[in-house]
Amino acid sequence: MYLYARFYQFYRTALLRSIRLLVFTLLLLLIVFLISNNNSPDFAVFLFNLFVMIEVFFHYKISRIAPSVPVAKNKKETKYNSFTLHALTGFVTQKNTEGIIKELISYPQVQLVMEKTNITRKELAFTTVSKDVLAESAFATAQTFKGKYVTTLDVFIAYLFLIEKETKLFFAKQLKIADLANIVSWVRKVMPEEENPKKFRVHFSGEGIGEALVSGWTYETKKYTAQFTSYALREDPLIGGREKEFGTLLESLTKLENNNVLLIGDIGSGKENLVKALAYHSFEGNLGGWLNYKRVLQLLVGALTAGATNRSDLESRLQEIIAEVSHANDVFLYIPEFQNILGASSYGLDLSGALLPYLKGGAMPIIATMSTGAYKTYMEKNPLREVFTVISLAEPEHDNAIQMVLGEAEHIEKKYEVIVSYRAILSAVELSERFYQDEVLPGSAVSLLEDVANIVSRDPGRKKFEKTGHKMVLEEDVVKKVEQTSHVAISLPTGNEIQILLHLEDTLHLRVIAQDDAIKAVSEAMRRLRSGMTTSERPISFLFLGPTGVGKTETAKSLADFYYKGEKNMIRLDMSEYTDDDGLKRLLGAPPGEGDERGELTDKIHDNPASLILLDEFEKANPKIHNLFLQVFDDGRLTDNKGNTVSFRNAIIIATSNAGSEFIREEIEKGTPIDRNFQHKLLDQLQSKGIFKPELLNRFDDIVIFKPLGQEQVTAIVKLLLSQLKKAMEKQDIKIYFDDAVIAKIAREGFDKDFGARPLRRYIQDTIEDLIAQKRLTREIDRGKTVTFSLDGTGALHVGIV
């Protein structure tokens, strides 16, 4: 390879290029001159042909020469035998590594890596590194990234690794080896020519002239279908990450019988993209044999049903389509949302019985798509199921999803004239999986990136990337978009939020009196979450144990108000309403065929994945529901009765329970300290009575015991409630004051040992607010007035107004 590299470099020098051009011109002129003077040009033509042959040999042989030894079979002693011609040229032509790197950054594949990593030319430090050291590192990089040969990418990445200690460039761009492996792997796929040069071949796209005359006419079919192939040809559909499913699709279509395919997957899984890939590659003639040059026609259910007065009309139209498609022999019929002709939606038609006899024969191959939930409802037990090969498009693994989104990002970049950085892609994959539950990967990440790219492209203040002049889509753009739609802080806290988190106990205590242990546990969990220490797929969960009216629910409300921007984003379920077996159905929604009842838990968390879930009186729920939450606490996911999976990863779950209240009250009256020993005794009692199973208790991140309220805490709660009333009246320009005796009276008479502080609010409404309301109506209390509540000599409430 070293000799080839020297010859390649020599043949492409400026001097030799000039000589080659001069020889070509002179030979051509000589031929013209000899012909014009009626002399034989044979020898000149011979020389000219010889020159062209040499040029062709250089272009198609020398410049495409493959390394003699793949990296996997090479020993380091002969490492240069695994270098591609372009990777090795710099080592031959340049005096030092600076020259090698400056030459490398002119290659499009290296420029693409720089774009994805958001590394500009100005940020590159040109440091002297030994050529041998660089070559050794490039060889090791190719091994690490499982490259076939050592390419220009490996040399460039190796150089960046060698100078990382000095420049901290990867660290600054938040790139790890796994990230670089993803980028390099993707660039190798989209620009494979350096490792696998394309062989020259004649290629024709589409049908030949007159091919349509051989196949049957489809006049009636055109009325109810759209030309899907034309739509698919707009861009080259990517099948990366779905190669196995695409292969199964092709195999199934070539069967002699039952050659129909049903693609199952949720929105974003890529069902339509596989059909587009089939249409595209069939038109291009890339599939081979019977699959080449087929038309893909999409059935339009709306057009099929339009004007049909009864079922007989529909079946007649369908039979005409079947007859034409079967006779044509060059059509795949594509039916998206297949459930629409199986009884779903407003169309109200079930044509499965009419289709079944024709689909068995194999003359009319159908490609249909359905969501997972629709398949479970309309197809799983349908006799039509037996004539289809079912291909399930599961959500891809994380790394596979990144590769798929990298490919789709190319289309986004062309559409919006932007550059999408790798960190933006990585962030889109991670955040869309957490917050965008209407779609699955990779589609959810692609949709998110497209929204962000659209915003960035219209931003006049955005700086442009130095090489292309396009605006750059960065990780912070993706995070900002998700924060806007989810109303939850995602990026690391800054400024005022840092101080709020550090003093969160004080913030929560503005609404919750005492219960220091509970407030501390919740505050610590929030600090872990916002500082990035919580990376689990599981939701944060708490079990609050204690008597009624001691602040369990108020603590949850105050947290929802702080982190989820208001109590409106809290999902509150009274578990005493889910004591029977029907409770599961209510939480998960109606099973297929039993109505459209939404799940009171799954649908709410689907609509608002970032929510606080409050499970009041959790001990009263049916044991089956306790088992259901075992899965939530373990996996952070739940599948409803229609087959749709929702994620609880962004939720905080707080379960409250009065179980063990008497034990807590009795032990505290004895002076028993609330410590770990006390908690163990309480939990043992709950387990011995069969209230909670040990495995359920062990799933909670923390179990917090709320103490019964003393007189001091009750008085503080009264002051808190009265301060809220004072603030409400101040907005109406009315000042209100309460004597200490009034506060003591409310605390004494409004508090109930069995119900805790809950009756206090009702007592204040009945004795204070009702009185104010009456006097507001009589205009005794009006704007600008000052109202003082005190007690008279008999202990009755007295109102002074000035």
Side-chain angles (χ1 to χ4, degrees):
M1 282 302 295
Y2 216 86
L3 292 175
Y4 277 112
R6 284 192 174 279
F7 178 73
Y8 178 77
Q9 181 272 333
F10 170 73
Y11 203 71
R12 296 176 70 252
T13 57
L15 176 61
L16 206 60
R17 283 186 177 186
S18 300
I19 294 173
R20 287 158 56 197
L21 180 60
L22 180 62
V23 170
F24 176 83
T25 305
L26 290 175
L27 287 174
L28 196 61
L29 290 174
L30 179 60
I31 293 171
V32 173
F33 175 78
L34 290 174
I35 292 174
S36 62
N37 287 281
N38 297 320
N39 294 321
S40 174
D42 292 352
F43 185 69
V45 170
F46 169 75
L47 293 177
F48 182 81
N49 289 338
L50 182 62
F51 176 80
V52 171
M53 290 172 62
I54 294 171
E55 289 295 318
V56 170
F57 179 76
F58 176 79
H59 182 72
Y60 286 101
K61 183 64 177 177
I62 300 298
S63 63
R64 298 189 180 193
I65 191 74
S68 57
V69 185
V71 169
K73 297 181 179 180
N74 198 345
K75 296 180 180 179
K76 285 190 177 181
E77 292 78 13
T78 57
K79 58 181 178 292
Y80 288 116
N81 288 339
S82 294
F83 277 62
T84 64
L85 195 63
H86 295 289
L88 193 56
T89 301
F91 288 88
V92 174
T93 61
Q94 301 297 329
K95 295 180 180 179
N96 50 43
T97 51
E98 180 178 347
I100 295 174
I101 302 305
K102 286 182 177 179
E103 180 178 311
L104 286 179
I105 60 179
S106 66
Y107 287 100
Q109 59 266 37
V110 175
Q111 291 172 2
L112 188 55
V113 169
M114 292 177 67
E115 288 177 4
K116 291 301 167 192
T117 55
N118 193 22
I119 295 174
T120 65
R121 183 163 182 165
K122 293 179 181 178
E123 292 174 315
L124 282 177
F126 295 105
T127 304
T128 301
V129 178
S130 165
K131 284 186 180 181
D132 285 338
V133 171
L134 180 58
E136 290 280 354
S137 181
F139 187 87
T141 301
Q143 287 179 315
T144 301
F145 293 158
K146 296 179 173 58
K148 184 178 180 181
Y149 303 118
V150 181
T151 66
T152 51
L153 293 178
D154 298 308
V155 178
F156 181 69
I157 296 294
Y159 175 75
L160 296 181
F161 274 132
L162 290 172
I163 65 172
E164 174 64 13
K165 188 174 181 180
E166 176 186 338
T167 62
K168 300 292 184 185
L169 192 54
F170 288 148
F171 181 80
K173 302 297 180 180
Q174 301 181 53
L175 295 170
K176 298 178 175 60
I177 291 180
D179 299 324
L180 294 169
N182 278 327
I183 295 171
V184 171
S185 174
W186 172 71
V187 174
R188 277 195 164 105
K189 287 179 183 177
V190 298
M191 293 184 173
E193 290 80 9
E194 186 176 355
E195 280 188 308
N196 301 291
K198 288 184 179 179
K199 294 182 179 180
F200 179 77
R201 69 185 184 97
V202 178
H203 177 75
F204 297 101
S205 298
E207 297 176 307
I209 297 174
E211 284 289 329
L213 299 175
V214 178
S215 303
W217 304 102
T218 53
Y219 286 125
E220 283 298 313
T221 303
K222 287 180 180 180
K223 296 178 183 178
Y224 313 116
T225 59
Q227 180 57 266
F228 189 79
T229 298
S230 299
Y231 169 63
L233 292 175
R234 294 176 185 176
E235 58 186 29
D236 184 357
L238 302 170
I239 58 172
R242 296 293 188 196
E243 294 90 350
K244 181 180 178 182
E245 291 86 349
F246 189 65
T248 305
L249 170 66
L250 301 182
E251 290 173 9
S252 303
L253 290 172
T254 55
K255 291 180 179 178
L256 296 178
E257 294 183 351
N258 297 341
N259 57 341
N260 310 290
V261 177
L262 178 60
L263 301 175
I264 299 174
D266 294 318
I267 298 173
S269 60
K271 303 186 295 294
E272 184 178 275
N273 195 65
L274 278 188
V275 185
K276 286 168 66 177
L278 169 69
Y280 180 90
H281 290 292
S282 178
F283 180 85
E284 290 289 325
N286 298 331
L287 302 179
W290 182 77
L291 294 174
N292 279 344
Y293 311 120
K294 298 289 185 182
R295 292 179 291 157
V296 179
L297 301 180
Q298 178 180 341
L299 182 67
L300 304 174
V301 179
L304 180 67
T305 58
T309 56
N310 52 50
R311 181 182 178 86
S312 177
D313 288 347
L314 286 173
E315 291 190 358
S316 176
R317 291 179 180 181
L318 188 63
Q319 287 171 357
E320 288 176 350
I321 294 173
I322 291 170
E324 287 188 349
V325 170
S326 300
H327 180 63
N329 202 36
D330 69 338
V331 172
F332 292 135
L333 191 61
Y334 170 44
I335 309 179
E337 305 300 327
F338 193 50
Q339 68 273 10
N340 287 337
I341 62 172
L342 300 180
S345 77
S346 58
Y347 297 114
L349 67 153
D350 185 355
L351 300 177
S352 56
L355 280 172
L356 184 58
Y358 298 98
L359 297 183
K360 288 183 176 180
M364 189 187 71
I366 283 180
I367 305 165
T369 66
M370 299 177 83
S371 67
T372 306
Y375 173 78
K376 190 174 182 180
T377 304
Y378 297 100
M379 194 68 173
E380 196 169 41
K381 298 179 181 179
N382 193 315
L384 203 61
R385 161 70 179 78
E386 67 184 36
V387 301
F388 281 91
T389 298
V390 177
I391 303 175
S392 180
L393 275 65
E395 191 169 20
E397 295 295 329
H398 184 265
D399 285 347
N400 202 7
I402 291 174
Q403 290 293 316
M404 296 167 80
V405 178
L406 274 165
E408 292 295 336
E410 277 192 284
H411 298 151
I412 295 174
E413 289 174 336
K414 291 176 183 177
K415 181 177 180 179
Y416 295 101
E417 295 185 345
V418 296
I419 295 173
V420 182
S421 71
Y422 174 81
R423 288 293 305 177
I425 291 170
L426 184 63
S427 181
V429 170
E430 292 175 349
L431 294 179
S432 63
E433 187 178 18
R434 290 174 55 188
F435 292 97
Y436 286 58
Q437 300 204 37
D438 284 331
E439 294 186 60
V440 297
L441 290 172
S444 56
V446 173
S447 298
L448 174 56
L449 279 176
E450 189 151 4
D451 290 342
V452 175
N454 184 29
I455 294 170
V456 170
S457 67
R458 294 184 289 106
D459 182 1
R462 179 59 62 95
K463 291 183 179 179
K464 298 180 179 180
F465 196 73
E466 60 180 9
K467 185 69 179 178
T468 61
H470 291 171
K471 296 172 182 176
M472 177 72 77
V473 178
L474 302 172
E475 178 183 16
E476 47 264 38
D477 299 316
V478 177
V479 172
K480 184 179 179 181
K481 176 63 178 177
V482 176
E483 287 182 333
Q484 289 173 349
T485 55
S486 67
H487 308 294
V488 173
I490 299 170
S491 57
L492 288 175
T494 58
N496 188 49
E497 189 189 355
I498 294 175
Q499 296 305 314
I500 292 175
L501 285 167
L502 292 174
H503 302 92
L504 184 55
E505 289 86 347
D506 298 335
T507 303
L508 297 180
H509 269 310
L510 293 175
R511 292 184 54 171
V512 181
I513 301 301
Q515 309 303 352
D516 294 343
D517 292 341
I519 295 299
K520 182 180 179 183
V522 170
S523 299
E524 288 176 346
M526 291 307 302
R527 282 191 283 267
R528 289 196 299 272
L529 178 67
R530 292 294 295 120
S531 63
M533 297 299 293
T534 302
T535 57
S536 172
E537 297 292 325
R538 302 168 53 247
I540 294 175
S541 59
F542 296 99
L543 175 60
F544 288 174
L545 296 173
T548 298
V550 295
K552 301 189 298 294
T553 300
E554 189 65 22
T555 301
K557 287 181 176 180
S558 62
L559 182 58
D561 192 43
F562 161 73
Y563 186 62
Y564 291 110
K565 311 303 182 206
E567 294 179 27
K568 65 181 183 297
N569 293 319
M570 181 173 75
I571 299 172
R572 185 173 182 177
L573 300 173
D574 185 350
M575 303 311 290
S576 64
E577 299 176 3
Y578 300 88
T579 56
D580 56 12
D581 290 342
D582 191 55
L584 271 177
K585 178 181 174 181
R586 291 173 55 198
L587 287 177
L588 301 179
E594 297 185 20
D596 297 322
E597 182 183 350
R598 286 167 58 87
E600 294 178 4
L601 175 61
T602 51
D603 280 285
K604 286 181 179 178
I605 202 68
H606 170 273
D607 296 339
N608 297 285
S611 299
L612 187 145
I613 302 173
L614 177 60
L615 308 174
D616 267 332
E617 298 189 276
F618 190 54
E619 78 280 2
K620 296 180 181 178
N622 188 284
K624 291 181 180 179
I625 292 177
H626 285 174
N627 292 335
L628 186 75
F629 276 97
L630 274 175
Q631 180 184 341
V632 175
F633 295 150
D634 257 351
D635 304 329
R637 290 173 176 266
L638 202 58
T639 302
D640 67 13
N641 281 329
K642 288 186 171 60
N644 302 312
T645 300
V646 294
S647 172
F648 289 76
R649 179 180 177 183
N650 307 294
I652 295 178
I653 301 177
I654 296 179
T656 70
S657 174
N658 299 330
S661 296
E662 282 304 316
F663 175 80
I664 295 172
R665 187 177 286 112
E666 290 172 1
E667 290 297 314
I668 288 179
E669 288 175 355
K670 293 177 185 177
T672 305
I674 304 293
D675 53 17
R676 286 291 177 188
N677 187 45
F678 178 91
Q679 188 182 82
H680 287 314
K681 288 182 180 179
L682 174 60
L683 297 183
D684 287 342
Q685 187 186 69
L686 297 179
Q687 294 171 49
S688 64
K689 291 183 178 181
I691 298 173
F692 294 122
K693 294 180 180 179
E695 56 267 30
L696 178 62
L697 293 174
N698 289 334
R699 294 305 192 282
F700 286 101
D701 290 312
D702 203 353
I703 297 175
V704 183
I705 298 173
F706 282 67
K707 305 172 187 177
L709 298 173
Q711 191 60 43
E712 184 180 343
Q713 287 83 39
V714 174
T715 301
I717 293 173
V718 172
K719 290 180 179 179
L720 180 62
L721 294 174
L722 292 177
S723 69
Q724 294 172 358
L725 176 60
K726 290 173 69 175
K727 289 178 181 178
M729 299 308 298
E730 283 174 359
K731 292 180 180 179
Q732 304 177 43
D733 297 325
I734 298 171
K735 295 182 178 180
I736 298 182
Y737 297 97
F738 298 92
D739 283 353
D740 288 343
V742 174
I743 294 173
K745 177 182 176 67
I746 297 172
R748 184 174 61 255
E749 297 179 3
F751 179 71
D752 186 287
K753 183 179 179 181
D754 293 327
F755 295 99
R758 285 185 178 176
L760 288 173
R761 192 179 297 275
R762 170 66 65 180
Y763 184 89
I764 291 172
Q765 287 177 348
D766 294 342
T767 58
I768 305 293
E769 294 181 14
D770 284 353
L771 186 58
I772 293 174
Q774 292 174 17
K775 294 186 179 295
R776 286 282 284 142
L777 292 173
T778 61
R779 298 296 177 90
E780 292 178 68
I781 299 177
D782 209 347
R783 290 185 62 207
K785 296 290 186 179
T786 299
V787 183
T788 304
F789 285 86
S790 59
L791 300 181
D792 60 18
T794 64
L797 196 64
H798 175 264
V799 183
I801 305 172
V802 294

